């Protein structure tokens, strides 16, 4: 009986104890990537990408996120068409904006420093950001999830996005919040 109990406890610990060393897939229904950029020195344009895919493994230092450029959404269809044009995201020629980690360092409880490469308009640029794990746990459907969040800034001019440089700010504030499901 003692042997059976120990075996059961060992099995249950494998089933119920989470591990970040596991691979997680971005939950496309619970993820947001938004941007905010100054407009005419007066206000801001805010938008988001409606399709985001990717994978995360924090212990292995792997974060791969893809924003699908043709899903850019600023709440104004005519502006969205312009954002998809060669003046901005050039979504036909460059359908994906990618974020790929190069190094992930744990800096505190549920906090990480991420050195990564962003690829936009065919150009690769480094970015360093702080990432927070906002939570983790079982979901009602039998899966296991982690939540992640970060805010960081990129310069659109670094990627060659210079249309209307005198009216649209160069610095773009990015906000990412999402959940990933253990595979």
């Amino acid at each position: 009986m003692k042997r059976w109990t120990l075996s059961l406890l060992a099995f249950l610990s494998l089933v119920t104890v989470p591990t970040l060393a596991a691979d997680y897939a971005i939950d496309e229904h619970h993820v947001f990537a938004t941007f905010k950029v100054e407009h005419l020195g007066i206000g801001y344009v805010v938008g988001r990408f409606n399709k985001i895919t990717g994978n995360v493994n924090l212990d292995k230092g792997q974060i791969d996120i893809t924003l699908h450029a043709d899903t850019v959404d600023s709440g104004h269809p005519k502006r969205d068409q312009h954002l998809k044009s060669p003046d901005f995201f050039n979504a036909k020629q460059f359908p994906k904006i990618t974020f790929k980690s190069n190094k992930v360092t744990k800096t505190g409880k549920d906090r990480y420093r991420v050195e990564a490469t962003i690829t936009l308009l065919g150009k690769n640029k480094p970015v360093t950001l702080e990432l927070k794990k906002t939570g983790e746990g079982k979901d009602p459907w039998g899966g296991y999830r982690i939540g992640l969040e970060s805010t960081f800034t990129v310069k659109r001019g670094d990627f060659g996005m210079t249309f209307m440089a005198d009216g649209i700010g160069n610095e773009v504030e990015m906000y990412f919040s999402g959940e990933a499901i253990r595979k």
Side-chain angles (χ1 to χ4, degrees):
M1 180 71 163
K2 186 175 183 181
R3 181 182 229 174
W4 182 85
T5 303
L6 288 175
S7 295
L8 178 62
L9 288 174
F11 172 76
L12 288 175
S13 71
L14 291 173
V15 171
T16 61
V17 176
T19 174
L20 291 177
D23 291 321
Y24 289 80
I26 294 296
D27 178 353
E28 293 182 45
H29 304 289
H30 294 95
V31 64
F32 303 91
T34 63
F35 61 88
K36 179 174 105 172
V37 65
E38 189 177 90
H39 183 252
L40 301 176
I42 298 169
Y44 294 91
V45 170
V46 178
R48 68 184 200 176
F49 293 90
N50 290 327
K51 183 173 182 186
I52 304 157
T53 56
N55 295 290
V56 176
N57 187 317
L58 291 175
D59 280 352
K60 290 183 181 177
Q62 298 170 341
I63 302 172
D64 296 304
I65 307 290
T66 299
L67 308 177
H68 297 261
D70 66 343
T71 69
V72 66
D73 180 355
S74 67
H76 188 279
K78 188 173 178 182
R79 179 175 45 226
D80 295 344
Q81 285 308 115
H82 192 200
L83 288 171
K84 294 173 190 178
S85 80
D87 287 342
F88 292 100
F89 292 108
N90 199 357
K92 284 187 181 176
Q93 186 175 350
F94 302 102
K96 295 179 181 178
I97 302 162
T98 61
F99 175 96
K100 184 171 178 55
S101 63
N102 301 314
K103 183 178 181 184
V104 177
T105 306
K106 188 166 181 138
T107 59
K109 182 176 175 6
D110 298 329
R111 301 214 179 253
Y112 301 84
R113 181 174 192 253
V114 180
E115 297 172 38
T117 300
I118 293 178
T119 303
L120 169 63
L121 297 173
K123 293 178 177 53
N124 300 316
K125 296 294 175 185
V127 65
T128 300
L129 57 90
E130 300 301 315
L131 179 71
K132 178 182 177 187
K133 184 176 72 161
T134 56
E136 66 180 291
K138 290 182 180 179
D139 64 29
W141 308 280
Y144 194 87
R145 296 170 178 262
I146 59 172
L148 303 169
E149 178 181 60
S150 183
T151 301
F152 58 97
T153 301
V154 296
K155 293 183 178 181
R156 68 187 187 100
D158 288 349
F159 299 94
M161 192 184 291
T162 57
F163 178 79
M164 217 173 133
D166 57 340
I168 300 173
N170 189 40
E171 291 192 356
V172 180
E173 183 179 306
M174 297 292 303
Y175 172 73
F176 174 87
S177 178
E179 297 177 14
I181 305 168
R182 185 167 54 197
K183 293 181 183 181

